[in-house]
Amino acid sequence: MSAQTGAVGILAGGGPLPARVAEAAAAAGRPVFILGFEGFAEPEVIAPWPHETVRLGAAGRMLSLLRAHGCTDLVLIGPIRRPSLRSLYPDAEGARILARLGRALFAGDDGLLAALVRLLGEEGFTVRGAHEFLEQSVAQPGVLGRVVPDEQAKADIQRGIEVVQALGRMDIGQGCVVQNGLVLAVEAMEGTDRMLARAGECRQPGDGGVLVKMLKPGQEKRADMPTIGPATVRNAHAAGLKGIAFEAGHTLMTDREACIAAADQAGLFLIAITPETFAD
């Protein structure tokens, strides 16, 4: 990453990763300012850092705060449920930005996020991917932990790759669960944890299946990279699965060591895959 002197502005949704990005940016000598989205960012996560909490629709206040704190680089991190337009109550700047987004508001999550990244660039900010700061949270290809997928699991992973790529091209989701070639569940707006609960309810007799998480084809990864954490591992175990496959280089682990420890304890495999070459 090229040397920068301005502050890193973190637009924070839920979960622990906004604080991890703040820690990494501060360790690199960068000032940090967190904008926590009201109803999504966890107060205890952002509390140790200079921060403000804002409504999603208050774009004018967001931009003013980011500029007032000298932010030059922005990172969008942490899950946010897509709001309805009626619930946004935009301020004057928010209304202007909604008008600039235009059709992207109705283009699915990928189209909207890509348009937001472009718009923030037009406002003078450089949008960075969280992975640029969290290099240790992005795994290289290979098995993590003690458990290795068997041949049936590898076949299910390959089937899952095909399914997630098809889903991704339609901007539906980043994950699915496959058991012995049968697709038990696909991820949509409900997120991974609720998908895993459904997969557990649909589980067939025999060996458990696999969770496959991947970046959508052509996805703007600076805004919504796939993420797994210890809770993902525990929920996969509760659903009776044998393991988790996720895309190497394009999936954030909220706590790498805790994920590996939870997988080893549960007897699940964790494998970082490269979809293009997995079957080779």
Side-chain angles (χ1 to χ4, degrees):
M1 190 188 309
S2 60
Q4 299 285 336
T5 57
V8 176
I10 300 170
L11 280 60
L17 285 177
R20 300 280 169 78
V21 174
E23 291 164 4
R30 303 287 299 278
V32 170
F33 173 66
I34 299 180
L35 269 184
F37 291 122
E38 188 176 289
F40 301 101
E42 298 173 18
E44 65 276 13
V45 170
I46 65 175
W49 304 93
H51 70 276
E52 294 280 351
T53 301
V54 293
R55 292 187 302 104
L56 275 175
R61 178 165 166 74
M62 291 180 203
L63 293 175
S64 295
L65 285 167
L66 291 168
R67 289 177 175 133
H69 285 83
C71 298
T72 55
D73 292 19
L74 301 183
V75 179
L76 287 69
I77 186 68
I80 298 170
R81 293 186 306 277
R82 183 169 177 161
S84 67
L85 293 179
R86 186 173 296 179
S87 70
L88 280 176
Y89 302 110
D91 58 15
E93 183 74 3
R96 182 178 72 85
I97 284 175
L98 288 176
R100 285 170 66 188
L101 288 172
R103 291 183 181 179
L105 286 166
F106 310 99
D109 287 346
D110 282 359
L112 177 58
L113 289 170
L116 281 171
V117 168
R118 184 179 66 250
L119 187 148
L120 289 167
E122 292 170 358
E123 292 291 331
F125 301 102
T126 298
V127 182
R128 303 279 187 188
H131 60 288
E132 297 181 53
F133 294 90
L134 300 176
E135 294 179 2
Q136 296 303 310
S137 297
V138 180
Q140 297 306 305
V143 173
L144 290 74
R146 294 195 300 263
V147 185
V148 176
D150 59 21
E151 292 305 311
Q152 181 59 58
K154 290 178 182 177
D156 284 345
I157 292 169
Q158 184 57 44
R159 172 74 167 144
I161 290 170
E162 296 164 2
V163 170
V164 176
Q165 287 177 335
L167 290 172
R169 281 189 286 271
M170 299 175 69
D171 194 13
I172 293 174
Q174 298 174 325
C176 73
V177 175
V178 180
Q179 180 190 12
N180 296 324
L182 180 67
V183 179
L184 299 185
V186 297
E187 182 182 9
M189 287 185 67
E190 83 279 28
T192 303
D193 291 340
R194 290 174 67 180
M195 175 189 66
L196 286 170
R198 285 193 290 110
E201 294 169 0
C202 297
R203 185 168 172 262
Q204 303 296 297
D207 286 347
V210 301
L211 165 64
V212 178
K213 286 276 289 184
M214 290 176 10
L215 201 69
K216 300 173 190 173
Q219 181 182 331
E220 174 52 77
K221 69 177 180 178
R222 287 175 292 176
D224 185 29
M225 284 181 72
T227 303
I228 66 170
T232 315
V233 178
R234 291 192 294 269
N235 289 333
H237 178 57
L241 304 190
K242 291 197 292 188
I244 300 172
F246 57 92
E247 188 167 358
H250 298 308
T251 305
L252 289 171
M253 303 179 77
T254 62
D255 188 329
R256 180 189 179 108
E257 297 308 316
C259 285
I260 294 171
D264 284 347
Q265 182 176 9
L268 269 67
F269 65 79
L270 281 178
I271 183 171
I273 60 171
T274 304
E276 296 79 13
T277 59
F278 179 74
D280 294 348

